[in-house]
Amino acid sequence: NVSDGRTDQRGIEANLLWQTSTPVYAGFTGSYARQTYRFDRDAGRGEVITSGNRIDTAPQILASARVGYRSNRGQAELEWAYNDAYFLDAANTARYPGHYLLNARMSFDINPHWTVGLRLNNLTDVVYADRADLFSLTDPNQFRYFPGRRREIFGSITWRH
């Protein structure tokens, strides 16, 4: 937290869905943001904030693209999710490389009251960080990583009255 600091955020978001009369659909959701510091300050711990530097832990691009099949009995969808690279420190000296994930979702209506579902996250078992940043108060080269979840599977059963 820096008192009396200024920042500048500019960006755009999009959510697109394409579907014809067939049961196949495609979608895209994404954002592009340029977030920068608008002040100069020695933040201590060896970190100097310079006006125009990118805000740390703020990726420029977050996006997902999906393709699916929807019928009157259920749905199946494959999703590709992207988290862009970002700086780990306010001085912009170290970067997290970003990551891609592949996810799948399926649901099937057994009858008008019961639905079963299956969700598979991180199909390719990518090692990634949900978040990463500067950690040490004394060592400007020590970072912490909050690990993302490895491949996981979830099942669901839904009852509707």
Side-chain angles (χ1 to χ4, degrees):
N1 228 355
V2 177
S3 297
D4 199 30
R6 300 186 89 154
T7 61
D8 184 40
Q9 290 88 18
R10 296 167 191 246
I12 188 168
E13 296 180 2
N15 187 15
L16 307 169
L17 180 63
W18 173 82
Q19 180 157 8
T20 63
S21 58
T22 69
V24 176
Y25 65 91
F28 170 82
T29 302
S31 65
Y32 172 86
R34 183 156 173 90
Q35 303 175 69
T36 57
Y37 292 108
R38 289 288 167 228
F39 65 97
D40 297 312
R41 181 145 327 128
D42 184 342
R45 307 178 313 198
E47 198 171 19
V48 176
I49 298 172
T50 303
S51 184
N53 275 7
R54 300 242 177 102
I55 295 176
D56 51 309
T57 70
Q60 274 191 240
I61 300 170
L62 295 172
S64 73
R66 58 204 172 281
V67 62
Y69 177 88
R70 183 178 298 129
S71 74
N72 59 348
R73 294 294 305 267
Q75 181 174 342
E77 183 176 271
L78 191 61
E79 175 193 42
W80 170 82
Y82 175 66
N83 191 103
D84 198 18
Y86 56 83
F87 287 103
L88 299 171
D89 61 333
N92 290 180
T93 62
R95 290 174 69 92
Y96 172 73
H99 60 265
Y100 303 92
L101 297 176
L102 190 61
N103 305 308
R105 292 177 278 280
M106 295 159 260
S107 65
F108 180 74
D109 294 332
I110 297 171
N111 61 42
H113 299 289
W114 291 95
T115 301
V116 294
L118 188 65
R119 187 177 76 214
L120 296 106
N121 292 340
N122 194 2
L123 287 172
T124 55
D125 205 22
V126 172
V127 175
Y128 69 99
D130 270 336
R131 187 170 70 90
D133 61 14
L134 180 65
F135 175 68
S136 175
L137 297 175
T138 56
D139 182 357
N141 296 312
Q142 190 172 359
F143 304 96
R144 65 180 169 181
Y145 298 89
F146 298 83
R149 300 184 67 94
R150 304 294 302 261
R151 182 184 302 125
E152 57 188 357
I153 185 169
F154 296 92
S156 64
I157 300 172
T158 305
W159 178 75
R160 290 182 299 277
H161 180 57

